[in-house]
Amino acid sequence: MRVAAIDCGTNSIRLLIADIDGANFREIHREMEIVRLGQGVDKTGQFHPDAIIRTLAAVDKFAIEIAKRGVEKIRFCATSATRDATNRDLFIYGVKERLGIGPEVIPGEVEAALSFQGATRDFPATDGPFLVIDIGGGSTEFVFGTTDVEFAKSMNIGCVRMTERHFTGGDANPGQIAAAIEDIDEAIAQAAKIVPITQSKTLIAVAGTATTVAAAALELRTYDRYAIHLSRISAEKVHATSKMFLSSKREDREALGYMHPGRVDVIGAGSLVLSRIMLATGATEFVASESDILDGMAWSLV
């Protein structure tokens, strides 16, 4: 069966088209657009009109790709920003007009389960229990389990939300970093009341923040998802990379060959979230996975 999954987060919208036959998975097409749908949502509680326009323009592109490739089933999930926006109906109606289906505004627990399914599929159960960390634009999911999700918690410490909350006005300064650390650590502590974050055998981190940190740690000249997938990044490299992103000038981050233009402004905050999670869990390394919620959504269609 040929399926399409669309994941619309706070920072990016992504499309995966795949053929799935039993346990066989063949990727046909994958693409991402940085649309910053969650622009200002943390402060205003609403989608900015420009953000809706940008996102629906990306949906138009995806609709053409889906029609061209003969997709049989589609699933469209919207996450943190859409959960929080009081005017989400404007966005939902626009998607229905273009795709004939409405986006599912999924709760954090469903988001966590789909991320877990996508992230752990490449690992034997003997590598568990797993802690899957999904740092998105608006929220970060903490998911623990071996073959199935046993504990999960979603916290509002995504890279866009933390940037808008703490790192406005250009390059980060020590006071902003200290305030962000306090905010992030408090959220991690809340998650740890529900999720046993120190008890996993393997820590897997998914989504753009984690894979960009991996690209930096691997000293890649350009973004290479095949080099990044299943790479093991030490905690020391995570901390050093986060410090580098937070202390560098915008133009220096822009010049990095592996850096997506849409992540330049938010990678400092995102990498800080990952760094604080590594400290809190006591993990010596994380495994970077290019398989995530999008892959979990595709599998859910069959």
Side-chain angles (χ1 to χ4, degrees):
M1 177 183 290
R2 181 158 291 185
V3 302
I6 299 174
D7 166 39
C8 186
T10 300
N11 196 40
S12 65
I13 184 168
R14 301 179 301 145
L15 167 68
L16 169 64
I17 298 174
D19 287 339
I20 302 179
D21 181 13
N24 297 316
F25 182 100
R26 185 166 72 96
E27 181 180 313
I28 303 300
H29 180 77
R30 191 185 294 256
E31 67 175 294
M32 175 187 73
E33 296 273 337
I34 299 284
V35 293
R36 198 65 60 84
L37 178 61
Q39 173 190 342
V41 169
D42 188 61
K43 180 182 286 187
T44 67
Q46 292 194 325
F47 286 138
H48 191 286
D50 292 348
I52 294 178
I53 290 169
R54 289 193 300 268
T55 306
L56 292 179
V59 175
D60 283 331
K61 286 180 61 179
F62 290 179
I64 292 169
E65 201 67 46
I66 287 167
K68 181 174 74 177
R69 295 184 183 270
V71 168
E72 299 168 69
K73 291 181 77 173
I74 308 171
R75 187 173 187 185
F76 189 126
C77 291
T79 54
S80 178
T82 309
R83 288 195 293 265
D84 294 347
T86 57
N87 62 342
R88 70 179 72 90
D89 288 347
L90 292 172
F91 170 59
I92 291 170
Y93 178 74
V95 172
K96 283 182 179 177
E97 274 193 316
R98 287 157 174 80
L99 290 177
I101 63 161
E104 301 171 51
V105 185
I106 58 172
E109 291 70 28
V110 174
E111 183 178 359
L114 290 168
S115 293
F116 184 86
Q117 183 180 11
T120 60
R121 190 165 282 274
D122 288 330
F123 295 84
T126 51
D127 284 353
F130 304 98
L131 177 65
V132 176
I133 301 297
D134 183 348
I135 302 171
S139 64
T140 293
E141 275 61 56
F142 298 76
V143 198
F144 182 94
T146 299
T147 55
D148 296 299
V149 174
E150 296 169 32
F151 303 95
K153 183 64 177 175
S154 177
M155 300 301 300
N156 285 337
I157 50 170
C159 60
V160 173
R161 196 183 298 266
M162 289 295 98
T163 299
E164 292 185 350
R165 198 178 287 178
H166 297 289
F167 298 113
T168 54
D171 299 321
N173 63 52
Q176 290 173 325
I177 294 170
I181 286 173
E182 185 176 351
D183 195 0
I184 292 164
D185 287 354
E186 182 179 342
I188 295 171
Q190 289 299 314
K193 291 179 180 178
I194 294 169
V195 181
I197 66 171
T198 62
Q199 295 178 30
S200 69
K201 186 175 179 182
T202 303
L203 191 157
I204 306 170
V206 303
T209 288
T211 57
T212 302
V213 168
L218 294 169
E219 300 181 3
L220 299 182
R221 299 182 74 175
T222 58
Y223 192 94
D224 182 347
R225 70 188 309 266
Y226 300 103
I228 291 166
H229 186 53
L230 303 184
S231 61
R232 293 178 178 268
I233 310 301
S234 71
E236 289 77 14
K237 285 194 173 182
V238 173
H239 304 321
T241 300
S242 179
K243 287 178 181 176
M244 180 269 289
F245 285 145
L246 286 166
S247 63
S248 61
K249 298 291 184 185
R250 188 183 200 283
E251 56 267 28
D252 294 330
R253 297 193 300 276
E254 284 180 321
L256 296 168
Y258 55 77
M259 182 70 68
H260 191 288
R263 297 205 186 280
V264 171
D265 291 332
V266 299
I267 190 61
S271 65
L272 184 60
V273 172
L274 182 57
S275 175
R276 302 309 295 181
I277 289 171
M278 297 298 289
L279 280 172
T281 60
T284 58
E285 66 178 14
F286 81 87
V287 182
S289 176
E290 289 279 357
S291 298
D292 53 25
I293 185 174
L294 203 54
D295 302 74
M297 288 165 58
W299 280 105
S300 76
L301 285 167
V302 296

